[in-house]
Amino acid sequence: MARDIALCSITPVPILLSIMDRNYQTTTPMTTTTFSSLESSGSDQYIEGTDFEVSEFFSNFEEWGMAETESMGFTGQSQDFGYQGNQFYDQFGGSSNQQQNVEESSRGGSRNSREKKDDRGRIAFRMRSEIDVVEDGYKWRKYGKKMVKNSPNPRNYYRCSVEGCPVKKRVERDKEDPHYVITTYEGIHSHEAPRQ
DNA sequence: CGTCTTTGACCCGCGC
DNA sequence: GCGCGGGTCAAAGACG
């Protein structure tokens, strides 16, 4: 089960504060506090997580981050959020302190009516950044821009410019605090990260 | 002249 | 069925 996608490397400029689900809700308080403490201490370090799986896409992300910058990277252990099949599950922070693995079989096919796009590999990062498009080692081509409801800021749509690569990303400023940029990646690159 | 951005139109899923 | 909102297309323009 490729479920852990909680990894990011960032440039020295933006600071990763939290990892969010596709509705831009902060997924895990633990992650948030981890990054908060890193930010406040100003440390520039790499945190090794244990016992997790990382998608190929974010492995590339990590490679780039450690090779090209003095960036801080993070890998986290996926316990109760991530993607299982087509479903995003976020069981953290709720009523239960004991967070347990969600067996796919237990959720079963009962609520299978609204099949949507394959959401695996989609993750959003919220970063403090002056610039809108954070350099992430890939080359992107913009293909759309939309005003979104309840937000004064437009949402920008980008596609990886490598031919045949299915990866897309969305970039928008946080409507609550425009100092922050929310970047949502979707898909897994079918190629190595190009050096620019 | 090739590549990338802009921008309005179009499409589609979803809720009412 | 209809309208709304989000996502994508594609023609035209900008830019190097």
Side-chain angles (χ1 to χ4, degrees):
Chain A
M1 178 67 61
R3 49 190 159 76
D4 196 326
I5 48 181
L7 181 148
C8 183
S9 60
I10 59 179
T11 69
V13 179
I15 297 172
L16 179 65
L17 284 184
S18 57
I19 296 173
M20 312 172 81
D21 68 18
R22 64 174 180 226
N23 296 316
Y24 304 135
Q25 302 300 308
T26 300
T27 52
T28 159
M30 188 184 75
T31 303
T32 302
T33 54
T34 298
F35 278 102
S36 295
S37 60
L38 277 173
E39 179 190 13
S40 60
S41 70
S43 62
D44 187 16
Q45 58 181 298
Y46 180 71
I47 302 174
E48 280 285 345
T50 57
D51 186 27
F52 50 77
E53 302 171 33
V54 178
S55 73
E56 183 184 345
F57 169 68
F58 285 103
S59 294
N60 292 337
F61 221 79
E62 174 189 6
E63 272 179 26
W64 168 81
M66 301 312 288
E68 297 288 322
T69 75
E70 297 178 354
S71 68
M72 174 175 66
F74 174 82
T75 51
Q77 180 175 4
S78 173
Q79 293 185 2
D80 293 279
F81 76 103
Y83 293 94
Q84 232 178 30
N86 289 342
Q87 265 195 327
F88 188 93
Y89 57 95
D90 50 337
Q91 316 275 320
F92 32 76
S95 51
S96 167
N97 283 336
Q98 293 294 330
Q99 299 180 341
Q100 309 210 336
N101 286 340
V102 178
E103 295 296 331
E104 198 166 5
S105 56
S106 71
R107 288 278 166 186
S110 62
R111 193 86 61 89
N112 213 5
S113 56
R114 49 187 186 129
E115 271 280 300
K116 296 174 67 178
K117 290 188 210 166
D118 192 346
D119 279 336
R120 275 177 293 186
R122 185 193 289 184
I123 189 170
F125 297 103
R126 183 171 178 269
M127 294 172 263
R128 179 186 296 150
S129 174
E130 306 259 328
I131 54 176
D132 287 341
V133 183
V134 176
E135 183 56 58
D136 58 8
Y138 291 91
K139 199 175 174 190
W140 302 92
R141 185 173 64 244
K142 190 174 186 175
Y143 69 91
K145 177 184 180 181
K146 257 319 235 206
M147 296 304 298
V148 290
K149 201 188 171 193
N150 297 327
S151 173
N153 310 310
R155 176 179 294 167
N156 296 291
Y157 298 89
Y158 297 86
R159 215 190 297 274
C160 182
S161 56
V162 172
E163 190 176 340
C165 181
V167 177
K168 288 178 272 194
K169 75 172 178 180
R170 299 196 299 252
V171 178
E172 66 183 294
R173 294 232 158 244
D174 191 337
K175 67 183 181 214
E176 311 272 317
D177 185 346
H179 292 102
Y180 293 85
V181 170
I182 297 171
T183 304
T184 305
Y185 291 92
E186 183 175 334
I188 297 175
H189 288 281
S190 61
H191 56 92
E192 297 294 314
R195 298 286 181 250
Q196 301 196 34

